[in-house]
Amino acid sequence: MKKYILSVLVKNNSGVLARVSSLFGRRGYNIDSLTVSATTDPKISRMSIVVTGDAPILEQIIKQVSKLEEVLWIEHLQEHDSYCRELVFVKLLAETGDVRDAIRQLSELYGARIVESTGSAIIVELTEVPSRIDAFLDVVSNFEVLEMCRSGVTAILK
């Protein structure tokens, strides 16, 4: 199964988020990530939706979502053809100097930023494309992860 990023322009009406998300639920599709933001036009919002599936599932999702009255435009975005970013915060147990140094080196390697360092933990922030965040999380899983939180993808076509 592959992750797909959909960019959807919708009319900024009340209930549109509920209608889009319930369509996924009724069809048995899971939303991995969903962000909604304003556009330059106050009557239009942009949804960035990440779903997992295969090509036929993606095609079906696009067809079903585009049938909704509030949907103005939908497009499948590729990471290399668009600007997509996601934010992740990871709190790692770091009680010894060796662990702290290793986390700092890893953070530097990935372009992550240490936003908080206490006596026993370090919080790291990374804003990147989803695949790079997945790789970062895979590597930091070698440490003791106390907490982790991802924002969801925001994307726009180049």
Side-chain angles (χ1 to χ4, degrees):
M1 296 292 221
K2 186 176 172 187
K3 287 190 178 188
Y4 297 100
I5 301 169
L6 300 174
S7 182
V8 186
L9 290 180
V10 295
K11 294 177 185 173
N12 193 9
N13 298 338
S14 62
V16 69
L17 175 60
R19 282 188 280 288
V20 170
S21 61
S22 68
L23 180 141
F24 279 81
R26 287 193 313 271
R27 302 284 189 266
Y29 303 132
N30 189 41
I31 296 173
D32 293 321
S33 149
L34 171 68
T35 59
V36 183
S37 61
T39 63
T40 54
D41 183 345
K43 295 178 185 173
I44 298 174
S45 293
R46 176 182 305 275
M47 292 183 172
S48 297
I49 305 170
V50 178
V51 296
T52 302
D54 54 19
I57 287 174
L58 173 66
E59 185 179 332
Q60 192 63 28
I61 288 171
I62 290 172
K63 285 180 183 177
Q64 294 297 318
V65 171
S66 64
K67 288 181 184 179
L68 292 174
E69 183 180 327
E70 294 93 346
V71 173
L72 304 170
W73 176 81
I74 182 170
E75 184 161 4
H76 167 225
L77 301 181
Q78 304 280 345
E79 275 188 9
H80 62 275
D81 290 333
S82 58
Y83 294 103
C84 9
R85 295 293 183 269
E86 185 174 11
L87 169 69
V88 66
F89 287 110
V90 185
K91 185 188 292 185
L92 301 163
L93 184 65
E95 294 179 314
T96 67
D98 291 345
V99 171
R100 295 173 107 56
D101 290 342
I103 292 169
R104 283 189 185 95
Q105 289 175 353
L106 181 65
S107 297
E108 188 176 309
L109 177 68
Y110 277 87
R113 192 170 72 98
I114 295 175
V115 294
E116 179 78 23
S117 182
T118 65
S120 61
I122 291 178
I123 299 175
V124 180
E125 170 191 343
L126 177 61
T127 302
E128 255 301 347
V129 295
S131 59
R132 185 113 165 119
I133 287 183
D134 290 339
F136 176 74
L137 291 175
D138 189 45
V139 173
V140 298
S141 68
N142 294 319
F143 299 96
E144 187 172 341
V145 177
L146 301 173
E147 287 184 70
M148 189 268 303
C149 147
R150 289 177 85 157
S151 66
V153 175
T154 299
I156 191 167
L157 197 58
K158 285 184 181 178

